[in-house]
Amino acid sequence: MKTAINTPLAPLPIGPYNQSIAAGGMLYISGQIPIDPASGQLIQDTIEQETSQVLRNIGAILHEAGLSFSDVVKCSVFVKNIDDFARINVVYAGFFDGTVAPARELVEVVRLPKNANIEISVIALLK
C-alpha cells in the first residue's frame, strides 16, 4: 500500500505526480527545484540560495510526514554545473549531520525542469 503525502508549504507538483509517497516503511520525495512555494516563482539568484530553497522545500515535506532531515537515508542531486559542487556542499552540510549524512550522488545534467540549476530528491525512513 502507498500513501501520497503533500503539503502547501512546498511547491505543488508541475506534472502528474505527488510531492512524496510513503510505502514499505520509506518516504520517497520527488525531485524538488528552487521554487518559492509562497510566490510560485523559481529562485535563480545564487546556487547557495537555490540549494537552500530546495532543501527548505524538502524539509516542509519531511515535516508533513512527521520526519526530519535526520531520517533521510539517500539523496540524489542533479545540477547544471558541476563546478558548483563545493558551493552546494556548504549549504547542504547545514541541513545534515555529517556523522550520519545520507548516501548521495551529485550528477551534472544538461537541463532540469523550468531550467532550474539544481534538483534534489530524497528517500527517508518512516517512523
Side-chain angles (χ1 to χ4, degrees), residues 15-42:
Y17 59 92
N18 286 287
Q19 291 170 338
S20 69
I21 293 290
M26 307 296 280
L27 182 70
Y28 301 89
I29 297 181
S30 296
Q32 297 295 304
I33 59 175
I35 294 177
D36 177 345
S39 69
Q41 297 299 308
L42 182 69

mmCIF file of all heavy atoms in Angstrom, residues 15-42:
data_model
loop_
_atom_site.group_PDB
_atom_site.id
_atom_site.type_symbol
_atom_site.label_atom_id
_atom_site.label_comp_id
_atom_site.label_asym_id
_atom_site.label_seq_id
_atom_site.Cartn_x
_atom_site.Cartn_y
_atom_site.Cartn_z
ATOM 1 N N GLY A 15 3.457 18.361 -12.626
ATOM 2 C CA GLY A 15 3.127 17.262 -13.519
ATOM 3 C C GLY A 15 2.276 16.240 -12.784
ATOM 4 O O GLY A 15 1.846 16.471 -11.654
ATOM 5 N N PRO A 16 2.057 15.078 -13.385
ATOM 6 C CA PRO A 16 1.213 14.039 -12.785
ATOM 7 C C PRO A 16 1.964 13.194 -11.749
ATOM 8 O O PRO A 16 2.267 12.018 -11.975
ATOM 9 C CB PRO A 16 0.775 13.207 -13.995
ATOM 10 C CG PRO A 16 1.916 13.347 -14.958
ATOM 11 C CD PRO A 16 2.457 14.742 -14.754
ATOM 12 N N TYR A 17 2.300 13.813 -10.636
ATOM 13 C CA TYR A 17 2.999 13.120 -9.552
ATOM 14 C C TYR A 17 2.669 13.812 -8.236
ATOM 15 O O TYR A 17 2.047 14.876 -8.217
ATOM 16 C CB TYR A 17 4.516 13.087 -9.783
ATOM 17 C CG TYR A 17 5.162 14.457 -9.892
ATOM 18 C CD1 TYR A 17 5.675 15.096 -8.766
ATOM 19 C CD2 TYR A 17 5.269 15.103 -11.109
ATOM 20 C CE1 TYR A 17 6.258 16.348 -8.853
ATOM 21 C CE2 TYR A 17 5.854 16.354 -11.213
ATOM 22 C CZ TYR A 17 6.352 16.975 -10.077
ATOM 23 O OH TYR A 17 6.927 18.217 -10.176
ATOM 24 N N ASN A 18 3.079 13.226 -7.127
ATOM 25 C CA ASN A 18 2.900 13.802 -5.796
ATOM 26 C C ASN A 18 4.230 14.286 -5.264
ATOM 27 O O ASN A 18 5.287 13.866 -5.731
ATOM 28 C CB ASN A 18 2.312 12.751 -4.844
ATOM 29 C CG ASN A 18 0.859 12.494 -5.127
ATOM 30 O OD1 ASN A 18 0.017 13.327 -4.816
ATOM 31 N ND2 ASN A 18 0.544 11.354 -5.733
ATOM 32 N N GLN A 19 4.173 15.151 -4.262
ATOM 33 C CA GLN A 19 5.408 15.604 -3.630
ATOM 34 C C GLN A 19 6.153 14.431 -3.014
ATOM 35 O O GLN A 19 7.381 14.389 -3.057
ATOM 36 C CB GLN A 19 5.113 16.658 -2.555
ATOM 37 C CG GLN A 19 4.617 17.967 -3.106
ATOM 38 C CD GLN A 19 4.111 18.874 -2.001
ATOM 39 O OE1 GLN A 19 3.747 18.423 -0.912
ATOM 40 N NE2 GLN A 19 4.073 20.166 -2.285
ATOM 41 N N SER A 20 5.396 13.494 -2.445
ATOM 42 C CA SER A 20 6.045 12.311 -1.867
ATOM 43 C C SER A 20 5.051 11.161 -1.778
ATOM 44 O O SER A 20 3.840 11.365 -1.780
ATOM 45 C CB SER A 20 6.623 12.624 -0.483
ATOM 46 O OG SER A 20 5.591 12.847 0.460
ATOM 47 N N ILE A 21 5.632 9.976 -1.668
ATOM 48 C CA ILE A 21 4.855 8.746 -1.494
ATOM 49 C C ILE A 21 5.465 7.955 -0.345
ATOM 50 O O ILE A 21 6.683 7.719 -0.317
ATOM 51 C CB ILE A 21 4.870 7.877 -2.773
ATOM 52 C CG1 ILE A 21 4.123 8.564 -3.908
ATOM 53 C CG2 ILE A 21 4.297 6.480 -2.506
ATOM 54 C CD1 ILE A 21 2.618 8.661 -3.737
ATOM 55 N N ALA A 22 4.606 7.565 0.599
ATOM 56 C CA ALA A 22 5.017 6.677 1.690
ATOM 57 C C ALA A 22 4.653 5.254 1.288
ATOM 58 O O ALA A 22 3.511 4.984 0.904
ATOM 59 C CB ALA A 22 4.312 7.066 2.978
ATOM 60 N N ALA A 23 5.630 4.368 1.357
ATOM 61 C CA ALA A 23 5.400 2.956 1.006
ATOM 62 C C ALA A 23 6.512 2.105 1.597
ATOM 63 O O ALA A 23 7.684 2.505 1.577
ATOM 64 C CB ALA A 23 5.368 2.778 -0.513
ATOM 65 N N GLY A 24 6.146 0.946 2.114
ATOM 66 C CA GLY A 24 7.143 -0.008 2.586
ATOM 67 C C GLY A 24 8.086 0.541 3.646
ATOM 68 O O GLY A 24 9.265 0.194 3.652
ATOM 69 N N GLY A 25 7.591 1.398 4.522
ATOM 70 C CA GLY A 25 8.428 1.946 5.586
ATOM 71 C C GLY A 25 9.365 3.055 5.145
ATOM 72 O O GLY A 25 10.237 3.473 5.906
ATOM 73 N N MET A 26 9.189 3.515 3.906
ATOM 74 C CA MET A 26 10.050 4.564 3.360
ATOM 75 C C MET A 26 9.193 5.724 2.848
ATOM 76 O O MET A 26 8.036 5.529 2.471
ATOM 77 C CB MET A 26 10.894 4.031 2.203
ATOM 78 C CG MET A 26 11.686 2.774 2.505
ATOM 79 S SD MET A 26 12.932 3.013 3.763
ATOM 80 C CE MET A 26 14.205 3.783 2.822
ATOM 81 N N LEU A 27 9.791 6.908 2.794
ATOM 82 C CA LEU A 27 9.174 8.068 2.174
ATOM 83 C C LEU A 27 10.033 8.459 0.989
ATOM 84 O O LEU A 27 11.233 8.715 1.142
ATOM 85 C CB LEU A 27 9.074 9.240 3.155
ATOM 86 C CG LEU A 27 8.392 10.493 2.579
ATOM 87 C CD1 LEU A 27 6.892 10.234 2.363
ATOM 88 C CD2 LEU A 27 8.602 11.681 3.501
ATOM 89 N N TYR A 28 9.431 8.488 -0.180
ATOM 90 C CA TYR A 28 10.115 8.844 -1.420
ATOM 91 C C TYR A 28 9.671 10.249 -1.804
ATOM 92 O O TYR A 28 8.498 10.450 -2.165
ATOM 93 C CB TYR A 28 9.768 7.848 -2.523
ATOM 94 C CG TYR A 28 10.145 6.429 -2.164
ATOM 95 C CD1 TYR A 28 9.256 5.594 -1.495
ATOM 96 C CD2 TYR A 28 11.406 5.931 -2.489
ATOM 97 C CE1 TYR A 28 9.607 4.302 -1.161
ATOM 98 C CE2 TYR A 28 11.766 4.634 -2.154
ATOM 99 C CZ TYR A 28 10.867 3.825 -1.483
ATOM 100 O OH TYR A 28 11.217 2.536 -1.154
ATOM 101 N N ILE A 29 10.586 11.207 -1.717
ATOM 102 C CA ILE A 29 10.253 12.593 -2.041
ATOM 103 C C ILE A 29 10.694 12.886 -3.461
ATOM 104 O O ILE A 29 11.856 12.692 -3.826
ATOM 105 C CB ILE A 29 10.895 13.581 -1.047
ATOM 106 C CG1 ILE A 29 10.336 13.325 0.358
ATOM 107 C CG2 ILE A 29 10.643 15.023 -1.477
ATOM 108 C CD1 ILE A 29 10.868 14.259 1.430
ATOM 109 N N SER A 30 9.737 13.363 -4.253
ATOM 110 C CA SER A 30 10.012 13.719 -5.642
ATOM 111 C C SER A 30 11.056 14.818 -5.714
ATOM 112 O O SER A 30 11.214 15.608 -4.777
ATOM 113 C CB SER A 30 8.731 14.214 -6.317
ATOM 114 O OG SER A 30 7.773 13.197 -6.388
ATOM 115 N N GLY A 31 11.738 14.889 -6.844
ATOM 116 C CA GLY A 31 12.735 15.921 -7.052
ATOM 117 C C GLY A 31 12.149 17.308 -6.831
ATOM 118 O O GLY A 31 11.086 17.625 -7.361
ATOM 119 N N GLN A 32 12.850 18.089 -6.040
ATOM 120 C CA GLN A 32 12.427 19.454 -5.747
ATOM 121 C C GLN A 32 13.391 20.427 -6.402
ATOM 122 O O GLN A 32 14.608 20.232 -6.356
ATOM 123 C CB GLN A 32 12.402 19.700 -4.238
ATOM 124 C CG GLN A 32 11.415 18.827 -3.484
ATOM 125 C CD GLN A 32 9.990 19.139 -3.872
ATOM 126 O OE1 GLN A 32 9.538 20.279 -3.785
ATOM 127 N NE2 GLN A 32 9.271 18.116 -4.320
ATOM 128 N N ILE A 33 12.830 21.460 -7.010
ATOM 129 C CA ILE A 33 13.635 22.528 -7.598
ATOM 130 C C ILE A 33 13.408 23.783 -6.766
ATOM 131 O O ILE A 33 12.507 23.820 -5.927
ATOM 132 C CB ILE A 33 13.322 22.731 -9.097
ATOM 133 C CG1 ILE A 33 11.856 23.071 -9.325
ATOM 134 C CG2 ILE A 33 13.720 21.489 -9.895
ATOM 135 C CD1 ILE A 33 11.499 23.397 -10.777
ATOM 136 N N PRO A 34 14.205 24.832 -6.974
ATOM 137 C CA PRO A 34 14.122 26.011 -6.098
ATOM 138 C C PRO A 34 12.937 26.933 -6.394
ATOM 139 O O PRO A 34 13.096 28.092 -6.776
ATOM 140 C CB PRO A 34 15.453 26.714 -6.324
ATOM 141 C CG PRO A 34 15.858 26.331 -7.694
ATOM 142 C CD PRO A 34 15.353 24.929 -7.876
ATOM 143 N N ILE A 35 11.742 26.409 -6.180
ATOM 144 C CA ILE A 35 10.537 27.222 -6.311
ATOM 145 C C ILE A 35 10.111 27.676 -4.925
ATOM 146 O O ILE A 35 10.010 26.869 -4.002
ATOM 147 C CB ILE A 35 9.400 26.431 -6.989
ATOM 148 C CG1 ILE A 35 9.764 26.118 -8.441
ATOM 149 C CG2 ILE A 35 8.079 27.198 -6.916
ATOM 150 C CD1 ILE A 35 8.752 25.283 -9.186
ATOM 151 N N ASP A 36 9.854 28.964 -4.786
ATOM 152 C CA ASP A 36 9.312 29.522 -3.552
ATOM 153 C C ASP A 36 7.832 29.157 -3.519
ATOM 154 O O ASP A 36 7.069 29.600 -4.383
ATOM 155 C CB ASP A 36 9.498 31.032 -3.553
ATOM 156 C CG ASP A 36 8.908 31.710 -2.334
ATOM 157 O OD1 ASP A 36 8.105 31.089 -1.606
ATOM 158 O OD2 ASP A 36 9.234 32.885 -2.113
ATOM 159 N N PRO A 37 7.398 28.338 -2.543
ATOM 160 C CA PRO A 37 6.002 27.902 -2.540
ATOM 161 C C PRO A 37 5.017 29.049 -2.316
ATOM 162 O O PRO A 37 3.878 28.979 -2.754
ATOM 163 C CB PRO A 37 5.929 26.868 -1.413
ATOM 164 C CG PRO A 37 7.112 27.126 -0.564
ATOM 165 C CD PRO A 37 8.154 27.741 -1.439
ATOM 166 N N ALA A 38 5.440 30.114 -1.668
ATOM 167 C CA ALA A 38 4.546 31.243 -1.408
ATOM 168 C C ALA A 38 4.233 32.015 -2.689
ATOM 169 O O ALA A 38 3.097 32.410 -2.928
ATOM 170 C CB ALA A 38 5.154 32.180 -0.362
ATOM 171 N N SER A 39 5.249 32.217 -3.518
ATOM 172 C CA SER A 39 5.059 33.012 -4.731
ATOM 173 C C SER A 39 4.916 32.161 -5.988
ATOM 174 O O SER A 39 4.432 32.643 -7.012
ATOM 175 C CB SER A 39 6.241 33.964 -4.922
ATOM 176 O OG SER A 39 7.415 33.235 -5.256
ATOM 177 N N GLY A 40 5.363 30.918 -5.922
ATOM 178 C CA GLY A 40 5.360 30.061 -7.100
ATOM 179 C C GLY A 40 6.477 30.387 -8.082
ATOM 180 O O GLY A 40 6.547 29.823 -9.160
ATOM 181 N N GLN A 41 7.379 31.285 -7.675
ATOM 182 C CA GLN A 41 8.457 31.730 -8.556
ATOM 183 C C GLN A 41 9.718 30.879 -8.370
ATOM 184 O O GLN A 41 10.065 30.505 -7.252
ATOM 185 C CB GLN A 41 8.806 33.198 -8.285
ATOM 186 C CG GLN A 41 7.664 34.155 -8.572
ATOM 187 C CD GLN A 41 7.228 34.108 -10.029
ATOM 188 O OE1 GLN A 41 8.038 34.235 -10.938
ATOM 189 N NE2 GLN A 41 5.941 33.903 -10.244
ATOM 190 N N LEU A 42 10.403 30.634 -9.475
ATOM 191 C CA LEU A 42 11.679 29.936 -9.443
ATOM 192 C C LEU A 42 12.754 30.887 -8.933
ATOM 193 O O LEU A 42 12.868 32.017 -9.415
ATOM 194 C CB LEU A 42 12.035 29.451 -10.850
ATOM 195 C CG LEU A 42 13.328 28.650 -10.991
ATOM 196 C CD1 LEU A 42 13.179 27.285 -10.327
ATOM 197 C CD2 LEU A 42 13.674 28.478 -12.461
#
